[in-house]
Amino acid sequence: MGNALELHDLKKAYRGQGVLRGATLSIPEGRLALYLGANGAGKTTTMRLVAGLERADAGSVTLLGGPPRPELRHQLALTLEEPRFYPWLSGLDNLRVVAGYRQIRGADRWARESLRRVGLDAAAHRPFRSYSLGMRQRLYLASSLVPELRLLLLDEPTNGLDVEGREAIWDTLTELRDGGVSLLVSTHQILDAERYAEHLAVLHDGRISFCGPYAELAAQRRLMVETPNPEAAQAALAQHGLRAEPGRQRGQLLAVDLAGRPAQQVLGLLSSAGVPVGTSRPEDLEELYWRLKNVDASRMA
């Protein structure tokens, strides 16, 4: 299995302000990959460069095994920002328009099937202007489900949606993945990564600080230990070659790098050293994300 998407040292600046500073990542075919980063980190810029809406200042993009080329327009789809359709037309008629300019055969059949796949078949004849935000986002997704689709890029597709709307979008994305479509979904919602990501790319300061299977990232989690004497705990662990530092929330929370050891063994070392320990838990993804922001991207890409 090859890669659906590769970025090689991609750079882009606006008015001298660098947005992407050498982003490198690879997304395997048939995976649902999340592109995680704060608002303004450069996720939308990346999507626009991949889709050919803008040109990079340096670096290269590889799509579906080769350089970007015109024939890929039938295999690649992109959703960006707020969905825009003709407000007075129904959802069905808007998709018929999309079918026209994308030269999709059997436009009516495709439009109806796409609405069904995103759960909008009951609202097919309602005007777009009457759609809720969640329905608009689902219609936008429906417009991307071209017959020959192989790679789908989505920029914050669940932003601003309620729980029901978010679930509907993710259900459709998971179904697409199961059907063999490769997906890159940008988000600033860390919990989405925990629930849906198979592959993850983390963007910070214009560079990719991590790119790989989600399980590989999860394996880097440290053990968060609550203790009233963190200095004694650090000293005791250091004697066994284990590094520990105050957690992001400071106070009595200590973050311990397990270095491949079982958590219970590390807790046992503290107990043997007479260091009192309260609760302990694995580092959560948000804590790990903030730690990755300080990692040298050249070592992680």
Side-chain angles (χ1 to χ4, degrees):
M1 180 182 294
N3 290 324
L5 171 65
E6 297 176 12
L7 307 183
H8 305 276
D9 199 25
L10 207 61
K11 298 177 182 178
K12 181 66 178 179
Y14 298 99
R15 298 178 181 177
Q17 182 68 37
V19 177
L20 295 179
R21 307 169 187 271
T24 296
L25 64 79
S26 58
I27 306 302
E29 291 183 6
R31 296 286 179 84
L32 198 168
L34 262 62
Y35 194 27
L36 186 65
N39 287 329
K43 302 187 300 296
T44 300
T45 296
T46 304
M47 298 280 190
R48 295 180 66 85
L49 293 174
V50 170
L53 300 180
E54 296 188 38
R55 288 187 177 181
D57 298 329
S60 63
V61 175
T62 300
L63 288 173
L64 301 172
R69 48 203 186 277
E71 57 266 30
L72 290 180
R73 67 183 184 275
H74 297 301
Q75 300 175 321
L76 171 70
L78 167 71
T79 67
L80 280 176
E81 303 166 349
E82 183 179 351
R84 297 179 182 178
F85 293 95
Y86 293 108
W88 61 89
L89 291 182
S90 68
L92 180 60
D93 284 338
N94 267 295
L95 288 192
R96 286 169 173 157
V97 172
V98 171
Y101 67 70
R102 294 209 67 154
Q103 300 178 336
I104 297 174
R105 296 181 179 179
D108 186 73
R109 183 176 65 256
W110 169 80
R112 293 179 184 276
E113 174 61 16
S114 296
L115 288 172
R116 184 200 63 77
R117 293 180 72 180
V118 300
L120 284 180
D121 41 341
H125 298 287
R126 284 177 51 183
F128 176 73
R129 64 186 174 212
S130 72
Y131 280 18
S132 67
L133 176 59
M135 294 170 70
R136 293 181 181 206
Q137 292 283 27
R138 280 188 275 168
L139 184 64
Y140 200 3
L141 177 56
S143 71
S144 303
L145 304 181
V146 293
E148 299 176 39
L149 184 63
R150 292 180 60 193
L151 175 60
L152 178 57
L153 311 173
L154 302 105
D155 188 25
E156 301 276 4
T158 62
N159 196 24
L161 301 189
D162 58 20
V163 174
E164 183 178 349
R166 291 171 64 84
E167 291 293 336
I169 293 289
W170 282 114
D171 285 347
T172 302
L173 299 185
T174 302
E175 178 186 317
L176 289 170
R177 185 275 317 278
D178 292 344
V181 176
S182 306
L183 302 101
L184 179 62
V185 185
S186 75
T187 181
H188 64 278
Q189 300 289 340
I190 294 177
L191 290 179
D192 286 345
E194 291 189 298
R195 293 190 63 185
Y196 303 107
E198 300 172 303
H199 206 82
L200 189 67
V202 180
L203 177 68
H204 172 64
D205 196 27
R207 296 181 176 88
I208 305 298
S209 58
F210 176 86
C211 182
Y214 175 75
E216 181 181 319
L217 181 66
Q220 297 182 26
R221 289 178 168 179
R222 300 180 297 184
L223 180 67
M224 310 303 291
V225 177
E226 183 184 11
T227 173
N229 197 341
E231 293 81 7
Q234 285 177 287
L237 293 172
Q239 293 180 4
H240 297 275
L242 294 174
R243 182 172 178 269
E245 62 183 23
R248 186 165 171 260
Q249 297 176 347
R250 304 291 175 172
Q252 296 181 332
L253 200 62
L254 198 65
V256 183
D257 188 343
L258 295 173
R261 303 194 190 192
Q264 287 303 316
Q265 180 182 347
V266 173
L267 294 174
L269 294 175
L270 292 174
S271 177
S272 298
V275 177
V277 173
T279 60
S280 63
R281 59 170 176 80
E283 183 178 36
D284 66 34
L285 188 59
E286 183 172 1
E287 291 165 329
L288 180 53
Y289 169 75
W290 284 102
R291 179 158 60 92
L292 281 174
K293 290 181 69 171
N294 298 317
V295 173
D296 179 9
S298 65
R299 292 189 294 108
M300 299 293 294

